[in-house]
Amino acid sequence: MAITKESLMTLEAYAKIRKSSTAEFIAHRRLRTAHLGEHISIQFEDERTIRRQIQEMLHIEKIFDEEGIQGEIDAYAALVPDGTNWKATLLIEYPDPHERKRELARLIGVEDRVFVEVEGHDRVYAIADEDLDRENDEKTSAVHFVRFEFSKAARAAVRAGAGVKLGCDHTHYPALMTIEPEVLASLAGDLVLAPSPSGRGLG
C-alpha cells in the first residue's frame, strides 16, 4: 500500500493509538533488525516502519497542513523497499561520546563496506546515502540509509529459503553474522520475482 496523505491517520487518531500500539510495533521492528558486531545495527525498513516514522514526525512536529505532510512523505517514502531490494537504516552505536567520536573517524566509508551474501550468490554491497552524503574527511555519520539491490536469481533463492549472511569488510570493523531465520522470513517478504514497471512488486 502506497503511503499517501489520504492513507495516513490524522494527528488526533494517531495520538489515540500511539501508546497502545507501541509494543506491537517494537516487536515488528525487532523482527527486522540485525546486529552486526557490537556497534552496528541495521534496521530493515518496510511500509509499516516508514509509515510509523512519518506518523511520529507529524505527531512530534504537530504538522497537519497538506504541504507539510507531503514533505514528510517525500522525505521517507523512498526508504520503502520496492521488490528488488532491501532498504535499511544503518546505526553506528557507541554510548560513550569520546569513543564514538574516535570510532566515527576510524570508520569513514564503513557504510560502503557492508554487504549481504545470499547462499550460492555473490556479495551484494550496500548502496549508501543516495539522498545526500553523510560523511566528510574527518568522520562518518552515526546514521546512514542503505539499499541492497538483488538479482532475480538471488531474490528467488531468498524466497526459497536460502541462508543469508550480513557482513562488513571495512579494515577497522570486520564482522560477519547469519541473519536469524525469523528475521530472514520477514525480509524475504520484501522481495518479489517480477517487479511491476512502476517499481512496485507483483507477487
Side-chain angles (χ1 to χ4, degrees), residues 25-193:
F25 177 75
I26 290 173
H28 178 73
R29 170 63 86 186
R30 189 178 297 119
L31 267 182
R32 298 186 61 85
T33 299
H35 299 283
L36 186 56
E38 294 184 23
H39 301 288
I40 291 181
S41 295
I42 299 183
Q43 299 181 344
F44 292 94
E45 308 292 356
D46 65 359
E47 187 268 345
R48 183 175 176 182
T49 65
I50 295 304
R51 181 178 293 275
R52 178 82 177 201
Q53 177 66 33
I54 293 171
Q55 294 278 186
E56 275 292 297
M57 293 305 297
L58 298 179
H59 173 82
I60 292 168
E61 301 293 338
K62 298 293 184 285
I63 298 170
F64 56 85
D65 62 288
E66 285 198 10
E67 185 177 350
I69 294 171
Q70 189 61 51
E72 293 300 324
I73 293 173
D74 292 343
Y76 290 102
L79 290 173
V80 179
D82 48 28
T84 65
N85 47 48
W86 290 340
K87 297 182 180 182
T89 302
L90 185 155
L91 304 172
I92 303 174
E93 301 168 308
Y94 289 89
D96 179 78
H98 299 292
E99 184 182 17
R100 181 168 60 248
K101 181 178 180 180
R102 183 185 72 237
E103 293 305 315
L104 290 179
R106 294 176 75 236
L107 292 176
I108 290 175
V110 69
E111 67 277 8
D112 299 314
R113 305 311 307 171
V114 174
F115 62 84
V116 170
E117 191 173 294
V118 179
E119 185 179 359
H121 296 267
D122 292 337
R123 289 179 175 179
V124 174
Y125 281 88
I127 302 167
D129 300 325
E130 295 177 276
D131 55 340
L132 59 90
D133 194 4
R134 289 185 169 79
E135 70 177 22
N136 55 41
D137 293 338
E138 297 180 355
K139 67 180 181 67
T140 190
S141 171
V143 180
H144 297 275
F145 297 110
V146 298
R147 171 169 61 93
F148 300 96
E149 196 68 36
F150 297 99
S151 67
K152 183 176 181 180
R155 299 198 304 272
V158 174
R159 291 284 295 260
V164 181
K165 292 182 178 180
L166 180 68
C168 177
D169 60 12
H170 189 279
T171 303
H172 299 302
Y173 200 91
L176 187 66
M177 59 86 70
T178 299
I179 296 179
E180 297 176 0
E182 59 268 29
V183 174
L184 187 55
S186 178
L187 298 181
D190 296 347
L191 301 176
V192 300
L193 302 185

